[in-house]
């Protein structure tokens, strides 16, 4: 049986979630919501909308979340929120605005430094100092689902994995209900990390973040900034296909599908896919793994039910 194939009984209880980012212009808005429509066929447990480095997309994030919930009828839309570039009072006001627009799930993050990835992070004056403090603030506002970040290969600013896990425990103690990981490509790294998380007494779901590789050069650069690595075996499978887009697409589809199937066979049931606001590769991966698509009528019915 090919590694990318799951029996129906194996894949029947797997759950997906998708991450999107707010569009910068009209063309990107069209692409985003076409992607949302395409991937809604896979009946995601929830979707998330990012907030932007340094809170730079705050207004666009709110606009996109509002449209997702009220126009696209995707009630299970989670809003990212960071500590960066705002006082506590300003962050609290943003939380209230999201809540007023129907948000019941937040992704609470410290956020990248205002100077960009690699710059030194410093808490904003009179702002929340880290994600644990932000989780506590959101929890004080109500009984919401609160996802947080986790790093199987260590956050680039952490001295070691133990410091990462200590911060994750602080976030959980303050009310986090789920961890979504940074993308990774070596499932052994994730499994070792998850074992250490459980030994630390952390029992919330830790959902692996999956990044289908649309562009190898971009992913290698981004992975370097995030403290992740792209294994040589994956580079070897893709690097010679730059001039063969169809073959590159097929190989990238198999790489991501194989990763999901292997994780499923290790007992994982939830998968968070970074879509980059593009549906073709993500949809191909989901199809190859064997995730069922809702019939068009069922998709419409689901949207109508969310709107009711």
């Amino acid at each position: 049986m090919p590694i990318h194939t799951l029996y129906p009984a194996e894949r029947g209880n797997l759950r997906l979630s998708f991450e999107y980012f707010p569009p910068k212009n009209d063309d990107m808005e069209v692409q985003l919501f076409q992607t949302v429509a395409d991937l809604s066929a896979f009946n995601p447990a929830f979707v998330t909308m990012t907030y932007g480095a340094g809170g730079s997309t705050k207004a666009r994030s709110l606009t996109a979340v509002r449209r997702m919930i009220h126009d696209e009828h995707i009630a299970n839309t989670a809003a990212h929120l960071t500590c960066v570039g705002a006082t506590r009072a300003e962050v609290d006001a943003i939380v209230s605005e999201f809540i007023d627009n129907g948000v019941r799930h937040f992704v609470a993050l410290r956020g990248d430094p205002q100077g960009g990835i690699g710059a030194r992070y410093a808490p904003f004056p009179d702002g929340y100092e880290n994600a644990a403090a932000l989780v506590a603030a959101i929890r004080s506002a109500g009984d919401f689902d609160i996802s947080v970040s986790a790093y199987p290969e260590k956050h680039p600013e952490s001295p070691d994995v133990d410091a990462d896990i200590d911060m994750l425990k602080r976030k959980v103690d303050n009310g986090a209900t789920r961890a979504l990981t940074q993308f990774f490509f070596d499932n052994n790294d994730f499994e070792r990390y998850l074992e250490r998380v459980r030994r630390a007494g952390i029992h919330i779901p830790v959902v692996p973040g999956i990044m289908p590789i649309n562009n190898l050069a971009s992913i290698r650069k981004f992975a370097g900034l995030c403290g992740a690595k792209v294994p040589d075996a994956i580079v070897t499978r893709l690097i010679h296909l730059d001039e063969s887009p169809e073959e590159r697409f097929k190989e990238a589809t198999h790489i991501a599908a194989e990763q999901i199937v292997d994780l499923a066979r290790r007992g994982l049931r939830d998968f968070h896919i970074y879509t980059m606001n593009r549906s073709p590769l993500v949809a191909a991966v989901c199809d190859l793994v064997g995730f069922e698509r809702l019939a068009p009528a069922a998709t419409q019915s689901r949207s109508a039910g969310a709107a009711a």
Side-chain angles (χ1 to χ4, degrees), residues 62 65-66 69-70 96-104:
L62 180 59
V65 167
R66 184 187 295 118
I69 293 173
H70 297 291
S96 295
E97 195 167 5
F98 275 128
I99 293 170
D100 290 344
N101 279 278
V103 172
R104 295 296 178 267

Side-chain angles (χ1 to χ4, degrees), residues 191-210:
E191 187 168 35
R192 284 189 292 268
Y193 174 77
L194 185 59
E195 289 173 354
R196 295 178 71 168
V197 166
R198 298 302 185 226
R199 286 200 302 269
I202 300 169
H203 300 294
I204 63 169
V206 178
V207 181
I210 307 297

Side-chain angles (χ1 to χ4, degrees), residues 14 190 194 206-208 260 263-271:
L14 302 185
F190 175 84
L194 185 59
V206 178
V207 181
I260 291 172
L263 287 167
R265 290 182 175 154
R266 298 182 193 214
L268 277 298
R269 288 294 172 262
D270 295 277
F271 301 92

Side-chain angles (χ1 to χ4, degrees), residues 189 192 240 246 260:
D189 287 339
R192 284 189 292 268
H240 65 289
E246 290 184 5
I260 291 172

Side-chain angles (χ1 to χ4, degrees), residues 2 98 115 230 278:
F98 275 128
V230 183
R278 300 177 182 178

Side-chain angles (χ1 to χ4, degrees), residues 189-269:
D189 287 339
F190 175 84
E191 187 168 35
R192 284 189 292 268
Y193 174 77
L194 185 59
E195 289 173 354
R196 295 178 71 168
V197 166
R198 298 302 185 226
R199 286 200 302 269
I202 300 169
H203 300 294
I204 63 169
V206 178
V207 181
I210 307 297
M211 177 73 85
I213 302 176
N214 279 291
N215 182 295
L216 178 61
S218 295
I219 288 296
R220 294 177 78 181
K221 180 179 179 180
F222 189 43
L225 293 172
C226 296
K229 63 178 181 288
V230 183
D232 290 342
I234 289 179
V235 174
T236 299
R237 290 174 67 173
L238 291 172
I239 198 166
H240 65 289
L241 297 175
D242 284 346
E243 305 303 320
S244 305
E246 290 184 5
E247 285 300 312
R248 184 179 68 239
F249 183 93
K250 180 179 179 181
E251 193 66 25
T253 301
H254 278 255
I255 288 169
E258 289 164 10
Q259 182 180 15
I260 291 172
V261 168
D262 180 62
L263 287 167
R265 290 182 175 154
R266 298 182 193 214
L268 277 298
R269 288 294 172 262

